[in-house]
Amino acid sequence: MLSVEGLHAAYGRIEALDGVDLEVKQGEIMSLVGANGAGKTTLLMSICGAPIVTAGRIVLDGEDLAGVPMHEIIRRGVGHVPEGRHIFPRMTVLENLRMGGYAVDPKHFSADLERVLALFPRLKDRLSQRGGTLSGGEQQMLAIARALIGRPRLLLLDEPSLGLAPLIALQLFQAILGINRDEKLTVLLIEQNAYQALKLADRACIMVNGKITLRGTGAELLANPAVQAAYLEGAA
Amino acid sequence: MPQTGIVFRGEIPARMTIDIFLQQLVNGLTLGAFYGLIALGYTMVYGIIGMINFAHGDIYMIGAFVALIGFVVLSTVGIASVPLAILIVLVLAMFFTACYGWAVERIAYRPLRGSPRLAPLISAIGMSIVLQNYVQIAQGARTKSLQPIVHGQYSIDVGQGAHVSVSLLQIIIIVLTVALMAGFTWVIRSTPLGRAQRATEQDATMAALLGVNVNRTISITFVIGASLAAVAGMMATLYYGVIDFYIGFIAGIKAFTAAVLGGIGSLPGAMLGGLAIGLIESFWPVFFDLAYRDVAVFGLLILVLIFRPTGLLGRPEIEKV
């Protein structure tokens, strides 16, 4: 569905991606694990058309995305839950969700709203509250719900568990797995919470300094001693 | 702007009578309509891209000129119906002025997106000079005038033999402004376009990540701001009957003051600020020397900025990130 070939990206003279190759298949959960500054967020933003790519190709459903503007890439079926959630703080929760459906035929909205509220019932009581007043966990749920209302075929999740209580993070991962199973949604997940991310993943990659250094199924990487030493100490 | 209505120069009335109060209220509302409509353009653009569009006053001036040309052309082709003429000119002025607003953004601001904040500001001042000189060359530097075309004056008895005079034009101006502001508020609050504008204002990258064409949304913001300024320009042409290439400067500064007074970035704030400045300008000469009217307006601005830096309706930035 998505393939990334020899991708280089840079912020000014600082190289953030140094030749990344990645293939995400229809219907799978692909996890990307790496330390801070490994280039994970940069990779997701590059897929969405941020003007930082210096070389390489990104192909979505057989079409090269070079030069396609961000909003157009989104309209082709990519949903993005960015790092830090990026809720519109002065819009109500309902308005945030309506923004999620901005690029979708409005006739789907009420059914889709019901669907995501069933997934995150906490949001139901908060619909008329301003986004900026939600707690961190609620904002994260809202960010995911907002992306889902956009009816994506490929969902990019950037550190969804960041700053969440472990129990809430667990619920969130279960919700992601549920959406993947029930709606055949393809997911590309970035996490520092390596244990959860690898457990969830069909396939996974380890990223170090702008390069992918290790690939395998989630289970394989979980069992890999080098991965355990670097990312899983004490987690399992 | 020329002063209208009752003016007491250097002479302080013993007390404010009801007829003077109502008269200046009507005059102040009319002035406030002008300032409010122009201020909306400043505040919208500031909200969405964080820059002061110093060429906006000149966009208003362009609107006034398009309206003047429209009225002259319509009278030569012999359209006698005044309401029809106003309607046609209104649409024409909004359309052409919107084109100017769109072009200014496209030429002078969009290429500078992402550069330091000072760059588009300087570019805006440059654009203001360009527009003034363009109109000066194309239309001449002399003041242009238009014969009054909306007649009708109502004298309302307010008791004790006192009268308040309201012109039909003042009624048109106030009604039109209120209708436009109501419609505009509805668009921003409740339509997908308005939501996209607010989303772009709050977080442009995230808006793009939800499929909003950010550049187009910014263009539409300039187009809406320019069309509102065009309405103010047309009303100025009718109300004052004289315009020149320089009217955008002082009206622009006053409207900018209105926007800051109300809280720049806040749409109700711009309307309230416009109203406040209109009322101050009309009531000031009742009590004090007319010569100090502008001092009063800008003095109030300074006071507000000292004691309430976010303006009357501006919001202090306390938000969970």
Side-chain angles (χ1 to χ4, degrees), chain A residues 1-203:
Chain A
M1 167 171 225
L2 175 79
S3 90
V4 175
E5 297 160 22
L7 195 70
H8 287 253
Y11 300 100
R13 295 173 61 182
I14 301 163
E15 184 137 277
L17 293 183
D18 184 15
V20 171
D21 296 290
L22 184 73
E23 175 89 37
V24 182
K25 291 182 194 140
Q26 179 78 46
E28 74 174 346
I29 297 183
M30 160 74 93
S31 285
L32 211 58
V33 174
N36 292 324
K40 307 182 300 290
T41 297
T42 305
L43 177 61
L44 287 203
M45 288 308 287
S46 303
I47 292 170
C48 289
I52 45 179
V53 175
T54 50
R57 258 158 54 92
I58 300 169
V59 179
L60 178 68
D61 294 326
E63 278 182 73
D64 195 328
L65 295 184
V68 182
M70 195 178 271
H71 61 92
E72 195 49 53
I73 293 176
I74 299 303
R75 282 162 184 265
R76 291 184 190 183
V78 179
H80 192 150
V81 180
E83 188 180 19
R85 310 181 277 260
H86 288 263
I87 297 304
F88 299 113
R90 295 185 296 282
M91 285 182 157
T92 65
V93 169
L94 183 62
E95 284 180 320
N96 267 282
L97 292 171
R98 280 190 190 281
M99 278 312 295
Y102 181 79
V104 180
D105 189 335
K107 72 169 193 255
H108 297 307
F109 183 74
S110 56
D112 286 354
L113 180 67
E114 209 128 299
R115 196 168 51 104
V116 298
L117 288 181
L119 207 55
F120 301 111
R122 287 278 285 276
L123 296 178
K124 205 177 268 176
D125 314 322
R126 304 256 188 266
L127 281 179
S128 56
Q129 203 172 317
R130 278 155 44 118
T133 64
L134 296 185
S135 75
E138 290 165 341
Q139 287 194 355
Q140 191 65 61
M141 292 173 198
L142 176 55
I144 295 175
R146 182 176 64 181
L148 289 176
I149 280 190
R151 303 195 146 216
R153 290 173 299 123
L154 169 65
L155 183 65
L156 310 177
L157 290 164
D158 196 342
E159 307 236 11
S161 76
L162 191 72
L164 299 189
L167 190 63
I168 304 217
L170 197 63
Q171 289 171 355
L172 207 63
F173 285 124
Q174 279 162 355
I176 293 166
L177 192 64
I179 302 160
N180 167 260
R181 296 289 179 265
D182 300 344
E183 307 184 19
K184 308 280 173 276
L185 177 67
T186 314
V187 177
L188 176 54
L189 169 71
I190 287 182
E191 261 299 336
Q192 298 222 24
N193 186 343
Y195 175 70
Q196 287 295 346
L198 294 178
K199 223 177 99 185
L200 205 62
D202 298 306
R203 293 189 309 135

Side-chain angles (χ1 to χ4, degrees), chain B:
Chain B
M1 286 189 181
Q3 176 66 16
T4 53
I6 300 168
V7 176
F8 292 85
R9 254 173 232 265
E11 152 198 351
I12 299 173
R15 62 194 169 89
M16 177 91 123
T17 53
I18 185 75
D19 56 331
I20 295 175
F21 174 78
L22 289 174
Q23 185 66 63
Q24 293 312 85
L25 188 66
V26 170
N27 296 340
L29 284 175
T30 313
L31 265 180
F34 287 105
Y35 293 142
L37 282 176
I38 308 172
L40 280 174
Y42 278 105
T43 219
M44 280 172 80
V45 166
Y46 182 84
I48 205 158
I49 53 175
M51 72 166 279
I52 307 296
N53 178 14
F54 276 114
H56 188 60
D58 301 289
I59 292 288
Y60 153 80
M61 176 270 293
I62 299 257
F65 268 88
V66 174
L68 180 78
I69 295 166
F71 282 122
V72 171
V73 169
L74 286 187
S75 74
T76 36
V77 299
I79 291 183
S81 158
V82 171
L84 182 65
I86 290 181
L87 194 66
I88 294 174
V89 169
L90 186 68
V91 171
L92 284 179
M94 286 174 86
F95 174 74
F96 281 106
T97 313
C99 293
Y100 278 95
W102 179 84
V104 165
E105 192 272 333
R106 193 71 193 77
I107 295 166
Y109 307 149
R110 192 183 294 183
L112 295 173
R113 199 145 312 142
S115 34
R117 289 168 81 97
L118 207 52
L121 198 72
I122 304 287
S123 185
I125 294 171
M127 216 53 229
S128 162
I129 296 170
V130 166
L131 289 174
Q132 280 180 25
N133 283 276
Y134 157 67
V135 172
Q136 187 183 3
I137 291 167
Q139 295 293 324
R142 292 234 300 270
T143 298
K144 308 269 179 248
S145 59
L146 181 74
Q147 291 301 313
I149 57 172
V150 181
H151 304 279
Q153 189 87 16
Y154 305 100
S155 186
I156 299 162
D157 194 336
V158 290
Q160 294 143 22
H163 292 272
V164 172
S165 136
V166 182
S167 69
L168 176 60
L169 188 57
Q170 283 180 316
I171 295 171
I172 292 176
I173 287 173
I174 292 169
V175 168
L176 187 60
T177 302
V178 169
L180 272 173
M181 286 180 171
F184 170 80
T185 305
W186 176 78
V187 167
I188 297 293
R189 274 220 189 133
S190 320
T191 65
L193 169 67
R195 272 195 296 276
Q197 278 184 313
R198 284 182 292 142
T200 305
E201 175 192 326
Q202 293 175 29
D203 192 335
T205 307
M206 191 61 232
L209 283 175
L210 294 172
V212 175
N213 185 340
V214 169
N215 274 332
R216 205 188 60 188
T217 306
I218 292 173
S219 285
I220 292 174
T221 304
F222 274 82
V223 162
I224 294 177
S227 3
L228 292 176
V231 177
M234 185 204 75
M235 297 187 324
T237 302
L238 287 174
Y239 193 58
Y240 298 120
V242 286
I243 57 171
D244 62 46
F245 71 95
Y246 202 61
I247 58 167
F249 179 72
I250 193 73
I253 295 266
K254 294 263 182 72
F256 171 61
T257 305
V260 175
L261 184 64
I264 192 137
S266 156
L267 300 172
M271 303 179 202
L272 183 70
L275 184 64
I277 291 197
L279 289 174
I280 291 167
E281 289 204 341
S282 73
F283 278 101
W284 181 265
V286 177
F287 301 104
F288 308 104
D289 193 333
L290 175 66
Y292 291 102
R293 191 180 56 176
D294 288 358
V295 177
V297 170
F298 296 121
L300 177 72
L301 174 68
I302 292 170
L303 285 178
V304 167
L305 287 181
I306 291 173
F307 293 107
R308 207 179 150 77
T310 51
L312 297 173
L313 299 186
R315 54 192 140 57
E317 296 291 331
I318 319 168
E319 265 144 19
K320 193 185 185 84
V321 185

